[in-house]
Amino acid sequence: MRHSNKREPGASLNRFLEFGLILSFSFSAAAQARFLLRPELKYSQDVTLYQRSLTESDLRFLSEAEFPVNNQEVMEVLDLTDSSSLNMSAWLAERVKVMTDSKQKLGDGAVRVLRSPATWNTEPSADFIAAYAQSRSQVMMSNIGATIYQFGKRTGQVFSLLVNGVGWISIESPRAGVVRIGDGYFAPLKPQWGAETLSRRIARIFRLETLFHEARHSDGRGSHVGFSHVICPKGHTYQGQFACDSMNNGAYRVGALLTQQFKESCTNCSVEEKELLDFLYLDSRSRVLNLEQAQETSLCDYLGAWGAGASYCEKKDPLLKPYFVDPQPEVAP
Amino acid sequence: MRSLSALGIIGLLLLGTYIATRPEVTESGHIRPAVLIEGNSGLLLGDESEALPNSAAAQVAEDVVNNQAFKAELEFLSQKLPKSGQRSLASQSAKAIPSGEREVMVEFSILAGKLDQDSSLKPLGLKFYKDCALGERVKENFRAFCFSRAVRLSLELENTVWDPEEIPLRIKKLGSEL
C-alpha cells in the first residue's frame, strides 16, 4: 500500500514538537524496569508520532500507578493473583498488541483468507451481526482483531490482516489484539468544554479505560467469543443500543474497575477530577446489566459512618447471581 | 402650583428610596442592611455602614451576588441535563459517552469543585441534585449520580437520610455505588 508523503502546513514543526515531547519523558528507575517488562505495543504507520508518544506515556502512567493490590473484584473479573498496576499492565499487554488508526482498511487487499476450516466446534453469537455493525461505528476505539475473527467464524474462514508497517497478522483467535483508534480516542476533554481545571490525567485515564474495555473483547469462546455487547433495555440511559453487557465480567465491568482503581489510588486528584472519575465509573458500571450491588458500597459506608442506613443498603437481591463467562480465548480449527 | 407638584414628586422619590433602603431586623434581632442587587453587578444601597462593619457588609453583598449567579448557573445546567429518549450522533457508538453528556459531566465536576470551595452554596447545590434525581425524564445514570450527591449533602446539611419513594430502587442502588 502506497503511503502519501504529502504533508500539511506546519507538519515539520509538529514533528519537531512531538520529538521533543518524547525526549522529555522521564520516570523512576523502578517504573522504567516495570515498563520495559511490558511486551512492545506495535503501531501501524498511520498512527502519528504524537499519538504513539501519548499512548506510550499512558502505558507508563498505568505501570507507575499505585493501585490497591487486594481489590477482590479486580482479581475475580480479570483472573489475577493481585490487582497491582504491574499485573494489570501485563493483562492489557496480552490482549492489545497492535494499534492501527482509523484509516486501517478491512478490504482492498488488506484482508486475505488464510484457510477455510470445514467446521467450527461452536456457533457464533446470535448478536454478532449487530455487534459487527456497531464496531464499525465506534468512535473511541474498536477491537478489529476480534471482529475479523468473529466474521471468519461466521463465514467459515480464517483471515489475516495487513497492517501498514507491521505486516500480515494472522487472526487465529480473538486474542489477535488488533485495535483501531476511533475519532474520539484522542479528542481532548478540554478546551471544548471550557474545563481548564481538568487535567490531562483524566483524559489519560479515559483512554486507558477504553484500552482495557477493548482488551476484554480479545477474550471468550463459544457463543461469548469477543464478549459481544447486548442491547440496553427500556429505560436505560443507552436504551436500544448495543451498549450493555449481560455478563458480569464483560468489557464495561473491566473498564469500570480500572477507573475505580485509579480513583482509589489518586491521592492528589482534585475534587473536580474525582467527580469526573466517579461519573466515568458510574457510566461504565450502569452498562453491566443484572450486576449485584457490591456488598459494601461507598454511599452505604458513608451513611453507616453517620449512624444512618437506607432500604437500598439492606439486602442483596437473592434473584441476582453472578454471571461470569469463560474468558479463555478459543482458537480457530 | 408647578413648584408644589415638583416637591410632591421629590417627596415620593425620597419615600421610595427610604422604603427600599431601610434596615431590617432579623429573627435573631440583628439589624441587616438593605441590599439592592441589580443584575450581577452587585449595586449596594443603604446604611450598611451603621449596621455592620464595611467588610462584613461587603461579604454579605458578595454572598448574595454569588448565590444569584450560582443559582442561574444551576438553572442553566438543569436545562442541559440529558433526557431519556435523546440520542446524539455519538451515541451510536457502543463505547463512547455522547459528547453532549460528557459536557454535562464536566460541568458536574466543576459544580463539585465550587461546592467544595464555598459551603454557602451547598443548599443550592442540594436542591439542584434533588431536582435532578427526581427528574423522571432525566437519564438514569445522571439521576443515580445526583441521588448519590443529594443523599450525602442532605445528611450533612439537614441531618436526614434523603430516600424518596419516587426514585426507583435500581437508580438508588446504582447511585449508592458512589
Side-chain angles (χ1 to χ4, degrees):
Chain A
M1 189 180 294
R2 189 181 164 85
H3 186 68
S4 170
N5 286 325
K6 192 178 174 184
R7 287 189 183 179
E8 293 171 6
S12 302
L13 176 64
N14 279 338
R15 283 179 184 276
F16 177 77
L17 290 173
E18 286 164 3
F19 188 57
L21 188 65
I22 291 171
L23 290 180
S24 69
F25 290 135
S26 63
F27 51 105
S28 71
Q32 200 166 17
R34 279 177 172 196
F35 185 68
L36 292 174
L37 287 173
R38 182 179 64 83
E40 189 189 359
L41 176 64
K42 293 174 180 158
Y43 299 92
S44 96
Q45 263 176 8
D46 301 319
V47 178
T48 68
L49 199 54
Y50 177 69
Q51 291 171 335
R52 289 179 203 201
S53 66
L54 261 186
T55 306
E56 290 298 313
S57 172
D58 290 348
L59 295 172
R60 262 195 297 275
F61 177 72
L62 171 69
S63 68
E64 286 177 343
E66 300 289 339
F67 285 166
V69 295
N70 289 317
N71 185 327
Q72 292 299 319
E73 269 188 279
V74 172
M75 289 154 69
E76 198 178 17
V77 171
L78 270 57
D79 197 20
L80 294 175
T81 51
D82 71 59
S83 55
S84 65
S85 60
L86 182 61
N87 253 355
M88 291 184 76
S89 295
W91 186 92
L92 178 68
E94 273 179 45
R95 290 158 178 83
V96 176
K97 298 165 187 167
V98 179
M99 185 179 278
T100 75
D101 97 326
S102 55
K103 294 192 219 53
Q104 172 66 45
K105 290 184 175 171
L106 297 177
D108 295 341
V111 177
R112 71 181 178 199
V113 178
L114 270 185
R115 60 182 188 277
S116 299
T119 54
W120 291 80
N121 291 331
T122 50
E123 287 300 309
S125 158
D127 292 333
F128 170 70
I129 295 172
Y132 177 65
Q134 183 72 61
S135 74
R136 288 200 297 182
S137 66
Q138 278 190 333
V139 292
M140 293 301 294
M141 180 170 272
S142 54
N143 189 325
I144 54 172
T147 304
I148 293 170
Y149 177 80
Q150 287 177 299
F151 184 72
K153 189 170 177 176
R154 191 167 67 90
T155 58
Q157 296 164 306
V158 176
F159 294 102
S160 66
L161 172 72
L162 180 62
V163 176
N164 240 348
V166 175
W168 287 97
I169 296 168
S170 300
I171 313 290
E172 301 270 358
S173 93
R175 218 25 111 71
V178 186
V179 294
R180 181 170 64 180
I181 299 165
D183 294 338
Y185 187 67
F186 288 108
L189 277 171
K190 58 172 190 171
Q192 288 96 318
W193 295 302
E196 290 297 331
T197 49
L198 294 172
S199 67
R200 289 181 192 163
R201 181 160 44 191
I202 298 299
R204 216 182 262 300
I205 294 172
F206 195 56
R207 285 195 295 271
L208 284 166
E209 190 260 348
T210 302
L211 272 183
F212 271 81
H213 172 106
E214 293 308 328
R216 182 48 111 195
H217 288 305
S218 293
D219 288 336
R221 55 181 49 244
S223 60
H224 295 297
V225 66
F227 279 75
S228 297
H229 299 308
V230 296
I231 292 178
C232 301
K234 193 178 176 189
H236 191 278
T237 302
Y238 297 97
Q239 173 181 328
Q241 299 168 65
F242 278 90
C244 285
D245 285 335
S246 59
M247 69 286 283
N248 293 170
N249 58 340
Y252 285 113
R253 181 89 184 274
V254 169
L257 289 173
L258 181 83
T259 307
Q260 189 186 53
Q261 286 286 81
F262 272 118
K263 198 179 74 176
E264 286 176 13
S265 63
C266 191
T267 49
N268 61 347
C269 270
S270 67
V271 172
E272 290 88 350
E273 285 176 321
K274 281 182 183 162
E275 194 79 347
L276 204 46
L277 287 180
D278 266 351
F279 206 100
L280 291 175
Y281 169 79
L282 193 79
D283 183 78
S284 292
R285 172 66 184 74
S286 72
R287 303 191 200 203
V288 186
L289 306 177
N290 307 317
L291 177 58
E292 179 55 88
Q293 184 184 28
Q295 258 175 331
E296 291 177 0
T297 66
S298 183
L299 184 65
C300 296
D301 285 351
Y302 181 79
L303 290 175
W306 283 71
S311 56
Y312 50 86
C313 293
E314 282 167 9
K315 273 185 182 175
K316 296 179 86 174
D317 186 344
L319 296 174
L320 287 178
K321 304 284 179 202
Y323 171 42
F324 279 59
V325 304
D326 186 357
Q328 284 304 311
E330 64 179 37
V331 179
Chain B
M1 191 68 182
R2 275 188 183 175
S3 59
L4 276 177
S5 298
L7 277 174
I9 290 168
I10 290 168
L12 281 173
L13 282 172
L14 284 171
L15 181 66
T17 308
Y18 170 73
I19 290 169
T21 60
R22 68 185 165 175
E24 288 174 27
V25 179
T26 62
E27 284 173 14
S28 57
H30 294 296
I31 294 173
R32 185 162 52 201
V35 178
L36 282 184
I37 306 298
E38 195 175 69
N40 288 332
S41 62
L43 175 65
L44 285 175
L45 290 174
D47 57 351
E48 59 265 51
S49 57
E50 289 171 22
L52 286 171
N54 276 342
S55 57
Q59 185 59 51
V60 170
E62 196 181 317
D63 285 351
V64 173
V65 172
N66 278 348
N67 279 357
Q68 293 291 347
F70 187 63
K71 208 173 170 181
E73 277 176 39
L74 291 180
E75 276 168 16
F76 188 57
L77 186 54
S78 295
Q79 288 163 14
K80 290 206 292 188
L81 285 173
K83 306 291 188 300
S84 302
Q86 274 181 354
R87 292 179 74 165
S88 61
L89 281 175
S91 71
Q92 297 299 317
S93 159
K95 178 63 195 73
I97 298 172
S99 58
E101 296 183 16
R102 275 213 288 196
E103 185 178 332
V104 175
M105 216 171 78
V106 172
E107 290 193 34
F108 266 58
S109 71
I110 294 168
L111 166 62
K114 286 183 178 174
L115 295 180
D116 184 59
Q117 281 175 3
D118 186 351
S119 296
S120 73
L121 301 177
K122 284 184 176 177
L124 285 174
L126 175 59
K127 186 184 179 309
F128 168 79
Y129 286 132
K130 281 183 175 178
D131 290 346
C132 156
L134 288 167
E136 283 180 14
R137 289 191 57 228
V138 176
K139 283 192 173 177
E140 274 198 2
N141 53 357
F142 281 87
R143 287 185 77 181
F145 191 86
C146 290
F147 172 73
S148 164
R149 297 307 183 245
V151 171
R152 284 169 187 263
L153 269 180
S154 171
L155 201 50
E156 187 186 327
L157 300 178
E158 300 168 346
N159 206 23
T160 55
V161 178
W162 191 64
D163 190 7
E165 284 179 8
E166 303 94 295
I167 299 177
L169 187 62
R170 65 176 183 281
I171 292 178
K172 290 179 183 174
K173 278 186 176 281
L174 183 60
S176 77
E177 299 269 345
L178 298 178

mmCIF file of all heavy atoms in Angstrom, chain A residues 37-56:
data_model
loop_
_atom_site.group_PDB
_atom_site.id
_atom_site.type_symbol
_atom_site.label_atom_id
_atom_site.label_comp_id
_atom_site.label_asym_id
_atom_site.label_seq_id
_atom_site.Cartn_x
_atom_site.Cartn_y
_atom_site.Cartn_z
ATOM 1 N N LEU A 37 9.387 -4.392 31.048
ATOM 2 C CA LEU A 37 8.926 -5.783 31.082
ATOM 3 C C LEU A 37 7.731 -5.991 30.151
ATOM 4 O O LEU A 37 7.419 -7.093 29.754
ATOM 5 C CB LEU A 37 8.505 -6.157 32.511
ATOM 6 C CG LEU A 37 9.635 -6.348 33.520
ATOM 7 C CD1 LEU A 37 9.055 -6.541 34.914
ATOM 8 C CD2 LEU A 37 10.486 -7.551 33.144
ATOM 9 N N ARG A 38 7.052 -4.896 29.849
ATOM 10 C CA ARG A 38 5.843 -4.978 29.044
ATOM 11 C C ARG A 38 6.179 -5.301 27.587
ATOM 12 O O ARG A 38 7.061 -4.661 27.010
ATOM 13 C CB ARG A 38 5.123 -3.625 29.103
ATOM 14 C CG ARG A 38 3.830 -3.570 28.341
ATOM 15 C CD ARG A 38 3.198 -2.207 28.486
ATOM 16 N NE ARG A 38 4.005 -1.138 27.905
ATOM 17 C CZ ARG A 38 4.004 -0.825 26.618
ATOM 18 N NH1 ARG A 38 3.266 -1.491 25.778
ATOM 19 N NH2 ARG A 38 4.754 0.163 26.170
ATOM 20 N N PRO A 39 5.501 -6.302 27.014
ATOM 21 C CA PRO A 39 5.746 -6.562 25.597
ATOM 22 C C PRO A 39 5.453 -5.314 24.773
ATOM 23 O O PRO A 39 4.555 -4.552 25.113
ATOM 24 C CB PRO A 39 4.744 -7.671 25.268
ATOM 25 C CG PRO A 39 4.320 -8.238 26.562
ATOM 26 C CD PRO A 39 4.462 -7.155 27.567
ATOM 27 N N GLU A 40 6.228 -5.134 23.729
ATOM 28 C CA GLU A 40 6.109 -3.915 22.936
ATOM 29 C C GLU A 40 4.766 -3.859 22.201
ATOM 30 O O GLU A 40 4.346 -4.839 21.582
ATOM 31 C CB GLU A 40 7.245 -3.892 21.921
ATOM 32 C CG GLU A 40 7.358 -2.592 21.200
ATOM 33 C CD GLU A 40 8.357 -2.693 20.053
ATOM 34 O OE1 GLU A 40 8.942 -3.778 19.874
ATOM 35 O OE2 GLU A 40 8.517 -1.688 19.342
ATOM 36 N N LEU A 41 4.129 -2.713 22.291
ATOM 37 C CA LEU A 41 2.899 -2.496 21.520
ATOM 38 C C LEU A 41 3.335 -2.018 20.135
ATOM 39 O O LEU A 41 4.155 -1.106 20.012
ATOM 40 C CB LEU A 41 2.044 -1.435 22.224
ATOM 41 C CG LEU A 41 0.768 -0.991 21.528
ATOM 42 C CD1 LEU A 41 -0.229 -2.140 21.398
ATOM 43 C CD2 LEU A 41 0.105 0.154 22.300
ATOM 44 N N LYS A 42 2.791 -2.641 19.097
ATOM 45 C CA LYS A 42 3.177 -2.248 17.737
ATOM 46 C C LYS A 42 2.159 -1.259 17.180
ATOM 47 O O LYS A 42 0.970 -1.352 17.508
ATOM 48 C CB LYS A 42 3.257 -3.477 16.837
ATOM 49 C CG LYS A 42 4.389 -4.406 17.229
ATOM 50 C CD LYS A 42 4.346 -5.674 16.398
ATOM 51 C CE LYS A 42 5.498 -6.589 16.817
ATOM 52 N NZ LYS A 42 5.251 -7.963 16.461
ATOM 53 N N TYR A 43 2.637 -0.374 16.315
ATOM 54 C CA TYR A 43 1.755 0.645 15.741
ATOM 55 C C TYR A 43 1.778 0.570 14.228
ATOM 56 O O TYR A 43 2.838 0.338 13.633
ATOM 57 C CB TYR A 43 2.220 2.047 16.155
ATOM 58 C CG TYR A 43 2.203 2.278 17.640
ATOM 59 C CD1 TYR A 43 3.331 2.029 18.417
ATOM 60 C CD2 TYR A 43 1.054 2.739 18.286
ATOM 61 C CE1 TYR A 43 3.321 2.233 19.784
ATOM 62 C CE2 TYR A 43 1.040 2.948 19.657
ATOM 63 C CZ TYR A 43 2.177 2.694 20.394
ATOM 64 O OH TYR A 43 2.168 2.896 21.753
ATOM 65 N N SER A 44 0.626 0.831 13.641
ATOM 66 C CA SER A 44 0.614 0.942 12.179
ATOM 67 C C SER A 44 1.280 2.264 11.802
ATOM 68 O O SER A 44 1.330 3.195 12.623
ATOM 69 C CB SER A 44 -0.820 0.874 11.654
ATOM 70 O OG SER A 44 -1.342 2.149 11.445
ATOM 71 N N GLN A 45 1.775 2.323 10.575
ATOM 72 C CA GLN A 45 2.482 3.536 10.129
ATOM 73 C C GLN A 45 1.591 4.774 10.197
ATOM 74 O O GLN A 45 2.086 5.889 10.306
ATOM 75 C CB GLN A 45 2.939 3.346 8.679
ATOM 76 C CG GLN A 45 4.363 2.904 8.568
ATOM 77 C CD GLN A 45 4.762 2.632 7.132
ATOM 78 O OE1 GLN A 45 4.001 2.921 6.200
ATOM 79 N NE2 GLN A 45 5.936 2.070 6.955
ATOM 80 N N ASP A 46 0.290 4.563 10.087
ATOM 81 C CA ASP A 46 -0.623 5.703 10.058
ATOM 82 C C ASP A 46 -0.862 6.329 11.423
ATOM 83 O O ASP A 46 -1.427 7.412 11.514
ATOM 84 C CB ASP A 46 -1.974 5.272 9.457
ATOM 85 C CG ASP A 46 -1.797 4.739 8.054
ATOM 86 O OD1 ASP A 46 -0.998 5.337 7.314
ATOM 87 O OD2 ASP A 46 -2.425 3.729 7.721
ATOM 88 N N VAL A 47 -0.469 5.647 12.468
ATOM 89 C CA VAL A 47 -0.602 6.236 13.807
ATOM 90 C C VAL A 47 0.519 7.267 13.951
ATOM 91 O O VAL A 47 1.690 6.927 13.801
ATOM 92 C CB VAL A 47 -0.491 5.156 14.917
ATOM 93 C CG1 VAL A 47 -0.577 5.790 16.302
ATOM 94 C CG2 VAL A 47 -1.563 4.104 14.744
ATOM 95 N N THR A 48 0.157 8.510 14.217
ATOM 96 C CA THR A 48 1.171 9.572 14.221
ATOM 97 C C THR A 48 2.127 9.422 15.401
ATOM 98 O O THR A 48 1.805 8.763 16.398
ATOM 99 C CB THR A 48 0.519 10.971 14.325
ATOM 100 O OG1 THR A 48 -0.081 11.097 15.621
ATOM 101 C CG2 THR A 48 -0.525 11.187 13.249
ATOM 102 N N LEU A 49 3.251 10.068 15.251
ATOM 103 C CA LEU A 49 4.253 10.031 16.311
ATOM 104 C C LEU A 49 3.675 10.588 17.608
ATOM 105 O O LEU A 49 3.947 10.088 18.705
ATOM 106 C CB LEU A 49 5.459 10.865 15.872
ATOM 107 C CG LEU A 49 6.769 10.612 16.606
ATOM 108 C CD1 LEU A 49 7.155 9.155 16.566
ATOM 109 C CD2 LEU A 49 7.859 11.490 16.026
ATOM 110 N N TYR A 50 2.882 11.620 17.462
ATOM 111 C CA TYR A 50 2.263 12.241 18.641
ATOM 112 C C TYR A 50 1.327 11.250 19.341
ATOM 113 O O TYR A 50 1.350 11.103 20.567
ATOM 114 C CB TYR A 50 1.483 13.481 18.206
ATOM 115 C CG TYR A 50 0.740 14.142 19.349
ATOM 116 C CD1 TYR A 50 1.436 14.782 20.372
ATOM 117 C CD2 TYR A 50 -0.647 14.098 19.410
ATOM 118 C CE1 TYR A 50 0.765 15.371 21.429
ATOM 119 C CE2 TYR A 50 -1.333 14.686 20.463
ATOM 120 C CZ TYR A 50 -0.621 15.322 21.465
ATOM 121 O OH TYR A 50 -1.291 15.886 22.514
ATOM 122 N N GLN A 51 0.530 10.531 18.546
ATOM 123 C CA GLN A 51 -0.399 9.557 19.132
ATOM 124 C C GLN A 51 0.357 8.405 19.791
ATOM 125 O O GLN A 51 -0.021 7.927 20.858
ATOM 126 C CB GLN A 51 -1.340 9.018 18.044
ATOM 127 C CG GLN A 51 -2.327 10.064 17.544
ATOM 128 C CD GLN A 51 -3.117 9.597 16.327
ATOM 129 O OE1 GLN A 51 -2.677 8.737 15.568
ATOM 130 N NE2 GLN A 51 -4.286 10.178 16.134
ATOM 131 N N ARG A 52 1.464 8.006 19.152
ATOM 132 C CA ARG A 52 2.273 6.944 19.749
ATOM 133 C C ARG A 52 2.861 7.394 21.075
ATOM 134 O O ARG A 52 2.850 6.651 22.059
ATOM 135 C CB ARG A 52 3.441 6.569 18.836
ATOM 136 C CG ARG A 52 3.039 5.835 17.610
ATOM 137 C CD ARG A 52 4.267 5.536 16.784
ATOM 138 N NE ARG A 52 3.881 5.323 15.407
ATOM 139 C CZ ARG A 52 4.620 4.677 14.523
ATOM 140 N NH1 ARG A 52 5.793 4.204 14.875
ATOM 141 N NH2 ARG A 52 4.203 4.522 13.300
ATOM 142 N N SER A 53 3.404 8.608 21.069
ATOM 143 C CA SER A 53 4.050 9.078 22.301
ATOM 144 C C SER A 53 3.037 9.223 23.423
ATOM 145 O O SER A 53 3.326 8.909 24.580
ATOM 146 C CB SER A 53 4.811 10.379 22.061
ATOM 147 O OG SER A 53 3.899 11.406 21.760
ATOM 148 N N LEU A 54 1.822 9.673 23.075
ATOM 149 C CA LEU A 54 0.771 9.782 24.100
ATOM 150 C C LEU A 54 0.409 8.400 24.643
ATOM 151 O O LEU A 54 0.267 8.212 25.852
ATOM 152 C CB LEU A 54 -0.489 10.402 23.485
ATOM 153 C CG LEU A 54 -0.742 11.887 23.693
ATOM 154 C CD1 LEU A 54 -2.105 12.270 23.138
ATOM 155 C CD2 LEU A 54 -0.686 12.276 25.161
ATOM 156 N N THR A 55 0.290 7.437 23.729
ATOM 157 C CA THR A 55 -0.083 6.085 24.155
ATOM 158 C C THR A 55 0.993 5.474 25.040
ATOM 159 O O THR A 55 0.702 4.866 26.078
ATOM 160 C CB THR A 55 -0.336 5.184 22.921
ATOM 161 O OG1 THR A 55 -1.297 5.841 22.086
ATOM 162 C CG2 THR A 55 -0.852 3.828 23.305
ATOM 163 N N GLU A 56 2.258 5.629 24.610
ATOM 164 C CA GLU A 56 3.354 5.091 25.428
ATOM 165 C C GLU A 56 3.370 5.753 26.801
ATOM 166 O O GLU A 56 3.615 5.116 27.823
ATOM 167 C CB GLU A 56 4.696 5.304 24.714
ATOM 168 C CG GLU A 56 4.874 4.434 23.481
ATOM 169 C CD GLU A 56 4.866 2.944 23.802
ATOM 170 O OE1 GLU A 56 5.562 2.524 24.748
ATOM 171 O OE2 GLU A 56 4.135 2.188 23.125
#
